[in-house]
Amino acid sequence: MTIESSSGSLTALNILEDLVKIQSVNPHYGDGAAGEGGVADYVARRLGGLPGVRVTRQPVLPGRDNVIVELRVGKPDRALLFEAHMDTVSLGSMDDPLTPVYRDGRLYARGACDTKGSLAGMIHAIETCARRPDLAGGDLVLLAAVDEEHAYRGILAFLELGMPLAGAVIGEPTELGIVAASKGCARFAVHTHGRAAHTSVPHEGDSAIYQMMQVLRFIRERVEPQLALKRDPRVGSPTIAVGTIRGGKQINIVPESCTIEVDRRLIPGELPDVVLAEFERELQAYAAGECGGALKVSVERLLLDWALDTPGDAAVVSAARRAAAALGLPGEVLGVPYGSDASKLAHFQGVPSIVYGPGSIAQAHSREEWVSVAQVEQAAAFYTQLAQTFGRFAK
Ligand SMILES: [Zn+2]
């Protein structure tokens, strides 16, 4: 038996239209960013009135609350978490970013793909199950989270609650693939330390920019070839990329400092703090050895995230495959290179987690963000089906 929705999956699309009209740019992305407040109000208002549903707002940052929606059906040991973030990246140069525009079976708007299409489907699933709680296979929790697009403070605040969960599905664009593995990351800065001098007598100084050339050579010639040798069958090889470089104060001064920011992506089995410590140790050895001590360097940790490595036989994976099959959806279990809130749930709380949602990561953050209308409807049906199926696989 499957959960039927009288209003059909059209409802998920209506919810998505409502969501994209509410600007919710992460405040990290500068002036004019409204933050998640409007979307949080919408979710709380929409689901707060349903029978048996309890809505809580969890303050995370000023004016920025997580919204936690609980539909308890007396099966807390089989609680399934739905999670989607409410923030988006900046509006960028999209034409009409806050107006849902339909073209060629797609809905164009900022956040349509990342990740309001998923959030709409999850809201729809909670509404459907609230009308038929007898069909929910376990307790259901929806977390509409803040700050995924910057520092993950929404999911981290939620984890502090220690709510018991048997599984989780994170809504991000996966084109309806069941993602059980993803890369983690270690983001850090490398600083070189020189000595300032007037550029009329450059030999009296020590250029931090020239020192940084050695660091870049180390990354390209030592680290990159090592990483190419490692490989995970689901997510591929680890990578390293230098995203920014800053150095020097003005044209006639030998620069005393230079900084690069580095993003090292990890595969399952690599731990971010271990990777970072190894990088630093090898760089210091390179500085003392090949560079003969002429390279004075320090490493500063910026952000660490864990790889996702959910076992193929976890209840949430089995239930997801069954739910997809029941709906005639692809249901392929796969790995992706980008991170999500799933890794935090899995790492800190040991909750077996998958990522699933409509749309492609290629459209997320892009100038022309869009999501497939059909996939929004299919994802909504999948979440609803999973809410029912999961209880049979958990425990
Ligand atoms: Zn996202």
Side-chain angles (χ1 to χ4, degrees), residues 188 190 214-225 240-242 260 262 279:
F188 53 93
V190 180
Q214 306 295 330
V215 177
L216 296 172
R217 183 170 296 136
F218 169 77
I219 290 173
R220 298 233 62 191
E221 295 178 2
R222 298 294 178 86
V223 180
E224 282 184 14
I240 190 164
V242 177
I260 57 172
V262 185
F279 177 91

Side-chain angles (χ1 to χ4, degrees), residues 189-245:
V190 180
H191 307 284
T192 50
H193 309 280
R195 189 175 62 253
H198 196 273
T199 48
S200 61
V201 284
H203 48 276
E204 290 183 3
D206 174 8
S207 169
I209 289 179
Y210 289 171
Q211 287 193 42
M212 191 58 82
M213 284 169 55
Q214 306 295 330
V215 177
L216 296 172
R217 183 170 296 136
F218 169 77
I219 290 173
R220 298 233 62 191
E221 295 178 2
R222 298 294 178 86
V223 180
E224 282 184 14
Q226 282 176 20
L227 299 187
L229 298 175
K230 297 183 177 181
R231 196 172 163 76
D232 176 275
R234 297 158 298 174
V235 302
S237 294
T239 56
I240 190 164
V242 177
T244 67
I245 183 164

Side-chain angles (χ1 to χ4, degrees), residues 373-394:
V373 167
Q375 284 189 11
V376 170
E377 296 174 340
Q378 288 163 334
F382 170 87
Y383 296 137
T384 309
Q385 187 71 34
L386 182 64
Q388 176 188 10
T389 309
F390 181 69
R392 279 193 265 127
F393 286 86

Side-chain angles (χ1 to χ4, degrees), residues 180 310-319 321 333 352 393:
T310 303
D313 60 356
V316 70
V317 177
S318 305
R321 293 178 60 188
V333 179
F393 286 86

Side-chain angles (χ1 to χ4, degrees), residues 85 87 113-115 148-149 171-173 361 364-365:
H85 62 88
D87 54 327
C113 171
D114 186 9
T115 210
E148 193 275 342
E149 295 289 6
E172 291 282 2
I361 195 71
H365 303 195

Side-chain angles (χ1 to χ4, degrees), residues 156-352:
L156 295 175
F158 175 79
L159 287 170
E160 285 170 15
L161 302 175
M163 183 182 286
L165 297 165
V169 51
I170 306 310
E172 291 282 2
T174 69
E175 295 187 278
L176 309 187
I178 298 166
V179 168
S182 65
K183 286 185 177 177
C185 73
R187 289 185 185 161
F188 53 93
V190 180
H191 307 284
T192 50
H193 309 280
R195 189 175 62 253
H198 196 273
T199 48
S200 61
V201 284
H203 48 276
E204 290 183 3
D206 174 8
S207 169
I209 289 179
Y210 289 171
Q211 287 193 42
M212 191 58 82
M213 284 169 55
Q214 306 295 330
V215 177
L216 296 172
R217 183 170 296 136
F218 169 77
I219 290 173
R220 298 233 62 191
E221 295 178 2
R222 298 294 178 86
V223 180
E224 282 184 14
Q226 282 176 20
L227 299 187
L229 298 175
K230 297 183 177 181
R231 196 172 163 76
D232 176 275
R234 297 158 298 174
V235 302
S237 294
T239 56
I240 190 164
V242 177
T244 67
I245 183 164
R246 277 192 319 276
K249 286 210 176 77
Q250 61 186 61
I251 194 167
N252 60 349
I253 299 176
V254 172
E256 65 179 342
S257 65
C258 184
T259 297
I260 57 172
E261 289 175 315
V262 185
D263 189 352
R264 164 78 157 81
R265 297 296 171 116
L266 323 171
I267 60 175
E270 291 187 314
L271 296 171
D273 38 0
V274 173
V275 162
L276 184 55
E278 256 169 33
F279 177 91
E280 184 167 8
R281 196 174 57 242
E282 288 174 15
L283 177 59
Q284 294 294 4
Y286 179 78
E290 276 92 328
C291 302
L295 174 55
K296 290 172 282 297
V297 69
S298 60
V299 174
E300 178 192 0
R301 160 193 304 218
L302 297 177
L303 184 144
L304 303 181
D305 189 16
W306 290 262
L308 178 69
D309 192 9
T310 303
D313 60 356
V316 70
V317 177
S318 305
R321 293 178 60 188
R322 181 68 62 88
L327 296 166
L329 296 172
E332 193 191 344
V333 179
L334 37 93
V336 294
Y338 53 90
S340 74
D341 283 345
S343 59
K344 271 64 83 183
L345 273 159
H347 175 77
F348 288 111
Q349 204 175 316
V351 182

